Amino acid sequence: MGRKLLLEHINVPGINTFQVYKEKGGYRAVEKALKTMSSDDVVEEVKKSGLRGRGGAGFPTGMKWSFLAKPEGVPRYLVCNADESEPGTFKDRYLMTHIPHALIEGMIVGSYALGANTSYIYVRGEMMPQIRILEKAIAEAKAAGYLGKNILGSGYDLEIYVQPGGGAYICGEETALLESLEGKRGNPRIKPPFPAIAGLYGCPTVVNNVESIAATVPIVNEGGEEYAKIGIGRSTGTKLISASGNINKPGVYEIELGLSVEDFIYSDEYCGGIANGKRLKAVVAGGSSVPILPANLILNLANGDKRLMSYESLSEGGFATGTMLGSGGFVVLDEDQCIVRNTWNFSRFYHHESCGQCSPCREGTGWMEKVLHRLEYGHGKMSDIDLLVDVSKKIEGNTICPLGDAAAWPVASAIRHFRDEFEWHVKEPKLALERNYGLAHYADPIKIAEEV
Amino acid sequence: MSDKIKVTIDGIPVEVEPRTSILNAARQIGGDIVPPAMCYYSKLEGSGGKCRTCLVKVSKGSEKDPRPMPKLVASCRTTVMDGMEVQNITSPEVIEARKGVVEMLLINHPLDCPICDQAGECHLQDLSYEHGAATTRYEFDRRTFDRVDIGDKIQLHMNRCILCYRCVFTADQITNNRVHGVLGRGDHAEISTYIEKAIDNDFSGNVIDVCPVGALTDKTFRFKNRVWFTKPVEAHRDCPTCSGKVTLWYKGEEVLRVTARKDVYGEVEDFICNTCRFDKKSTNDWVIEGPRQVSRQSVINANHYDTLQPLPVIKKNPELMQANKEQFERATKF
Ligand SMILES: Cc1cc2nc3c(=O)[nH]c(=O)nc-3n(C[C@H](O)[C@H](O)[C@H](O)COP(=O)(O)O)c2cc1C
Ligand code: SF4
Ligand code: SF4
Ligand code: FES
């Protein structure tokens, strides 16, 4: 059994209430931080822990905190990014629904470390039940003296507010989130300046994912070094993975980073293997934005070693043979799934969610969607495949925010690894409407390049 | 001077004030190495960064940190650093990316230049001429919108809009209650005045001047003439609301339209008021300063009626005349 730091008490009845959470050792981190540590000590522990952002980019959280500008007389903010809308990712919602106090406790610890006296949790608009749950949790914590003025007699004041978003994926991008929080249209800002210098209302701001913030609780409790002992290499600690698709046991799992992908998919502790006795065809390992990999490359690296669930191992091989851990949205596709359809579906999402500020993303996402739609419905041409690659290249790297890249990668990678299947859609348009391409050679052992 | 910053753009060194953008540094050098800018507008705070036509490659970050920047950057929103080296037209990567951006800007553009009032002074036209492909790879219906009147003097032709946000920033700057903005998202986003409410402001007409394409046009000029048949003349008047410095566009004795004075980058010198723009269309209203200098390459210089030797027109072409005659006979036989 892997260690559980966030979901240890997930099955305890009433863990969503303050009382049970506290009985199970909750709010120790607040007591420890506020009573025995300076805010710099807390930042130092988080740095030592090696915790990396769980929202997608994997930027070291402690480093992000230490970059926060601290000019005199200007308020600073901690903003929690609970906009979770990446297709395939649903871990933050799970955490907020079942253990809301883990987030509230993390918010108090984080705000204290950053010297913020007002903090916000920006929740995706569709998650109304979670918004109510968080508001109740905040009220409970406040009644118990963990929020408000002079918390635990330490002289530290903090208010936390929950802000519902309007339900736009783009408002999960940190600067779009800040715009939206300020009451404006959620267009990503042009950086620099970065939020650490000028974020919410022009003040220094840290934006962190729900899971990153919650993870600071065990870090403060057990110390950064202890936390760093879990995991592998620069991928420390535990990570919540949202597992979905054709597996026996979909759900949210907490894993120790460094678990092998094979164990994650096939062991009974986690996904429990592919459903209905089918064979694995492909995996989108980190939410819809990351490159899709065929079965052989997701289970093994190009050199034949086992691929692990860690930031480094998943991205091993770059774009040629690797992918990314992203936000941990693990979507498994079995032999009956159509890659073309799946790619079209993703690109439809990005087309719908592009904010429309920059020309390549605004126009290119729609273009790719239309071409993919045509391919999927049997009207495609051979030249469409290269056209898609070319359009994705024109978007990638040329936009204001990473949504452009996120829209380009799934298309480019699907064609890179599943070109046969795209070609089959062009050559056999009638057949492609009736049945799927199947597993083909996508699970064949990889040819290992000779050592030179 | 020591507090100036030295940058090199396409191998040409220039010294500029700190905090200058790469684009403005390039404009200080001038010429071919200036990146095209479809959304940045120096007079509009916050503008730029959106269209991505001004992308350049920073091959050396600065003297202190010589690492190149990992991605192409928007030159209009990237500030120069001491010792920075930038590649614009000398970088194939930049040219390729710019071609891509231009293609993107055109896939949903109606390409109705023959009936568009902006033709001849349209930045998208210039850009496509320089960087565009001759054919389109886009085989789908272009998005369409209905034309909308913004008040009685301005028409919005959303089909042509490239969402540069310049008009939005203009409206933001001239009023303090927001009535003009962007609705919708992605490629279905559109410029709108909420519930088609007119921007009721003395300076609203400036959105026409800032619009790089023919999306916002002057209804008092619509379809009156092609810009290259008109003659720009600088003039001023004593205006209580604005500087009163304008360009009058003449056809014969008649003032067809009034605009602010634009520089080589299409940016106005001063915003002008609606009275000057829409209501003063008689020579008597103005003190004439002299003809406006228009760049010699500009199409506006191409077809002036005062050309001494009129260009040979089709009438002189015997083959064409013969063909026309045959066509005429065939058509009138029945
Ligand atoms: C289009 C887009 C959508 C994003 N959506 C989310 C999101 O829903 N939740 C999230 O935590 N981060 C999201 N991010 C990442 C954030 O911009 C940011 O990197 C993150 O909140 C930082 O937190 P972390 O350092 O704790 O990971 C998104 C980024 C982009 C470009
Ligand atoms: S990349 Fe797309 S989503 Fe991001 S700012 Fe540009 S248009 Fe908006
Ligand atoms: S209407 Fe013109 S100025 Fe306004 S966003 Fe569109 S192209 Fe730009
Ligand atoms: S002018 Fe720089 S991005 Fe448009």
PDB file of all heavy atoms in Angstrom, chain A residues 170 188 354-358 361-362 399-401 403-404, ligand 2:
ATOM      1  N   ILE A 170     -10.783  28.553 -19.534  1.00  0.00           N
ATOM      2  CA  ILE A 170      -9.672  29.496 -19.602  1.00  0.00           C
ATOM      3  C   ILE A 170      -9.471  30.216 -18.267  1.00  0.00           C
ATOM      4  O   ILE A 170      -8.373  30.652 -17.952  1.00  0.00           O
ATOM      5  CB  ILE A 170      -9.867  30.498 -20.773  1.00  0.00           C
ATOM      6  CG1 ILE A 170      -8.595  31.293 -21.042  1.00  0.00           C
ATOM      7  CG2 ILE A 170     -11.033  31.433 -20.542  1.00  0.00           C
ATOM      8  CD1 ILE A 170      -7.392  30.434 -21.354  1.00  0.00           C
ATOM      9  N   PRO A 188      -6.612  35.853 -20.464  1.00  0.00           N
ATOM     10  CA  PRO A 188      -5.284  35.781 -19.862  1.00  0.00           C
ATOM     11  C   PRO A 188      -4.524  37.098 -20.075  1.00  0.00           C
ATOM     12  O   PRO A 188      -4.699  37.755 -21.094  1.00  0.00           O
ATOM     13  CB  PRO A 188      -4.616  34.644 -20.629  1.00  0.00           C
ATOM     14  CG  PRO A 188      -5.732  33.807 -21.094  1.00  0.00           C
ATOM     15  CD  PRO A 188      -6.844  34.752 -21.401  1.00  0.00           C
ATOM     16  N   SER A 354     -11.334  28.463 -26.206  1.00  0.00           N
ATOM     17  CA  SER A 354     -10.356  29.513 -26.495  1.00  0.00           C
ATOM     18  C   SER A 354     -10.978  30.865 -26.194  1.00  0.00           C
ATOM     19  O   SER A 354     -12.135  31.107 -26.522  1.00  0.00           O
ATOM     20  CB  SER A 354      -9.972  29.439 -27.977  1.00  0.00           C
ATOM     21  OG  SER A 354      -9.462  30.684 -28.392  1.00  0.00           O
ATOM     22  N   CYS A 355     -10.206  31.740 -25.554  1.00  0.00           N
ATOM     23  CA  CYS A 355     -10.790  33.032 -25.203  1.00  0.00           C
ATOM     24  C   CYS A 355     -10.876  33.930 -26.423  1.00  0.00           C
ATOM     25  O   CYS A 355     -11.615  34.895 -26.438  1.00  0.00           O
ATOM     26  CB  CYS A 355      -9.998  33.701 -24.084  1.00  0.00           C
ATOM     27  SG  CYS A 355      -8.566  34.627 -24.659  1.00  0.00           S
ATOM     28  N   GLY A 356     -10.083  33.641 -27.452  1.00  0.00           N
ATOM     29  CA  GLY A 356     -10.195  34.410 -28.682  1.00  0.00           C
ATOM     30  C   GLY A 356      -9.332  35.648 -28.727  1.00  0.00           C
ATOM     31  O   GLY A 356      -9.494  36.484 -29.608  1.00  0.00           O
ATOM     32  N   GLN A 357      -8.410  35.793 -27.778  1.00  0.00           N
ATOM     33  CA  GLN A 357      -7.566  36.992 -27.803  1.00  0.00           C
ATOM     34  C   GLN A 357      -6.529  36.952 -28.905  1.00  0.00           C
ATOM     35  O   GLN A 357      -6.301  37.930 -29.587  1.00  0.00           O
ATOM     36  CB  GLN A 357      -6.799  37.075 -26.495  1.00  0.00           C
ATOM     37  CG  GLN A 357      -7.337  37.996 -25.481  1.00  0.00           C
ATOM     38  CD  GLN A 357      -6.317  38.180 -24.387  1.00  0.00           C
ATOM     39  OE1 GLN A 357      -5.754  39.241 -24.248  1.00  0.00           O
ATOM     40  NE2 GLN A 357      -6.067  37.157 -23.611  1.00  0.00           N
ATOM     41  N   CYS A 358      -5.830  35.826 -29.003  1.00  0.00           N
ATOM     42  CA  CYS A 358      -4.743  35.841 -29.980  1.00  0.00           C
ATOM     43  C   CYS A 358      -5.114  35.042 -31.220  1.00  0.00           C
ATOM     44  O   CYS A 358      -5.741  33.983 -31.135  1.00  0.00           O
ATOM     45  CB  CYS A 358      -3.406  35.422 -29.392  1.00  0.00           C
ATOM     46  SG  CYS A 358      -3.408  34.160 -28.163  1.00  0.00           S
ATOM     47  N   CYS A 361      -4.613  30.965 -31.855  1.00  0.00           N
ATOM     48  CA  CYS A 361      -5.463  30.062 -31.085  1.00  0.00           C
ATOM     49  C   CYS A 361      -6.923  30.253 -31.463  1.00  0.00           C
ATOM     50  O   CYS A 361      -7.655  29.290 -31.660  1.00  0.00           O
ATOM     51  CB  CYS A 361      -5.229  30.296 -29.598  1.00  0.00           C
ATOM     52  SG  CYS A 361      -6.418  29.537 -28.499  1.00  0.00           S
ATOM     53  N   ARG A 362      -7.347  31.507 -31.591  1.00  0.00           N
ATOM     54  CA  ARG A 362      -8.751  31.777 -31.921  1.00  0.00           C
ATOM     55  C   ARG A 362      -9.145  31.097 -33.224  1.00  0.00           C
ATOM     56  O   ARG A 362     -10.163  30.407 -33.299  1.00  0.00           O
ATOM     57  CB  ARG A 362      -8.960  33.288 -32.052  1.00  0.00           C
ATOM     58  CG  ARG A 362     -10.373  33.656 -32.471  1.00  0.00           C
ATOM     59  CD  ARG A 362     -10.531  35.156 -32.616  1.00  0.00           C
ATOM     60  NE  ARG A 362      -9.745  35.701 -33.700  1.00  0.00           N
ATOM     61  CZ  ARG A 362      -8.864  36.694 -33.588  1.00  0.00           C
ATOM     62  NH1 ARG A 362      -8.646  37.246 -32.428  1.00  0.00           N
ATOM     63  NH2 ARG A 362      -8.197  37.128 -34.628  1.00  0.00           N
ATOM     64  N   THR A 399       1.349  31.794 -28.842  1.00  0.00           N
ATOM     65  CA  THR A 399       0.156  32.400 -28.246  1.00  0.00           C
ATOM     66  C   THR A 399       0.465  33.044 -26.903  1.00  0.00           C
ATOM     67  O   THR A 399       1.552  32.897 -26.371  1.00  0.00           O
ATOM     68  CB  THR A 399      -0.925  31.329 -28.043  1.00  0.00           C
ATOM     69  OG1 THR A 399      -0.374  30.270 -27.269  1.00  0.00           O
ATOM     70  CG2 THR A 399      -1.409  30.782 -29.375  1.00  0.00           C
ATOM     71  N   ILE A 400      -0.527  33.746 -26.374  1.00  0.00           N
ATOM     72  CA  ILE A 400      -0.347  34.447 -25.104  1.00  0.00           C
ATOM     73  C   ILE A 400      -0.280  33.463 -23.945  1.00  0.00           C
ATOM     74  O   ILE A 400       0.578  33.549 -23.084  1.00  0.00           O
ATOM     75  CB  ILE A 400      -1.513  35.437 -24.867  1.00  0.00           C
ATOM     76  CG1 ILE A 400      -1.517  36.529 -25.938  1.00  0.00           C
ATOM     77  CG2 ILE A 400      -1.429  36.040 -23.471  1.00  0.00           C
ATOM     78  CD1 ILE A 400      -2.689  37.475 -25.840  1.00  0.00           C
ATOM     79  N   CYS A 401      -1.196  32.512 -23.933  1.00  0.00           N
ATOM     80  CA  CYS A 401      -1.229  31.593 -22.799  1.00  0.00           C
ATOM     81  C   CYS A 401      -1.057  30.173 -23.306  1.00  0.00           C
ATOM     82  O   CYS A 401      -1.145  29.917 -24.503  1.00  0.00           O
ATOM     83  CB  CYS A 401      -2.535  31.758 -22.019  1.00  0.00           C
ATOM     84  SG  CYS A 401      -3.896  30.779 -22.667  1.00  0.00           S
ATOM     85  N   LEU A 403      -2.951  27.725 -23.458  1.00  0.00           N
ATOM     86  CA  LEU A 403      -4.086  27.004 -24.033  1.00  0.00           C
ATOM     87  C   LEU A 403      -3.809  26.676 -25.494  1.00  0.00           C
ATOM     88  O   LEU A 403      -4.217  25.639 -25.993  1.00  0.00           O
ATOM     89  CB  LEU A 403      -5.392  27.789 -23.896  1.00  0.00           C
ATOM     90  CG  LEU A 403      -6.636  26.990 -24.307  1.00  0.00           C
ATOM     91  CD1 LEU A 403      -7.787  27.221 -23.349  1.00  0.00           C
ATOM     92  CD2 LEU A 403      -7.105  27.302 -25.716  1.00  0.00           C
ATOM     93  N   GLY A 404      -3.103  27.565 -26.157  1.00  0.00           N
ATOM     94  CA  GLY A 404      -2.761  27.297 -27.544  1.00  0.00           C
ATOM     95  C   GLY A 404      -1.953  26.011 -27.679  1.00  0.00           C
ATOM     96  O   GLY A 404      -2.262  25.149 -28.500  1.00  0.00           O
TER      97      GLY A 404
HETATM   98  S1  SF4 C   2      -3.844  31.118 -26.376  1.00  0.00           S
HETATM   99 FE1  SF4 C   2      -6.050  31.017 -26.755  1.00  0.00          FE
HETATM  100  S2  SF4 C   2      -6.940  31.013 -24.713  1.00  0.00           S
HETATM  101 FE2  SF4 C   2      -4.823  31.730 -24.482  1.00  0.00          FE
HETATM  102  S3  SF4 C   2      -4.923  33.944 -24.617  1.00  0.00           S
HETATM  103 FE3  SF4 C   2      -4.615  33.214 -26.694  1.00  0.00          FE
HETATM  104  S4  SF4 C   2      -6.678  32.996 -27.562  1.00  0.00           S
HETATM  105 FE4  SF4 C   2      -6.887  33.143 -25.369  1.00  0.00          FE
END
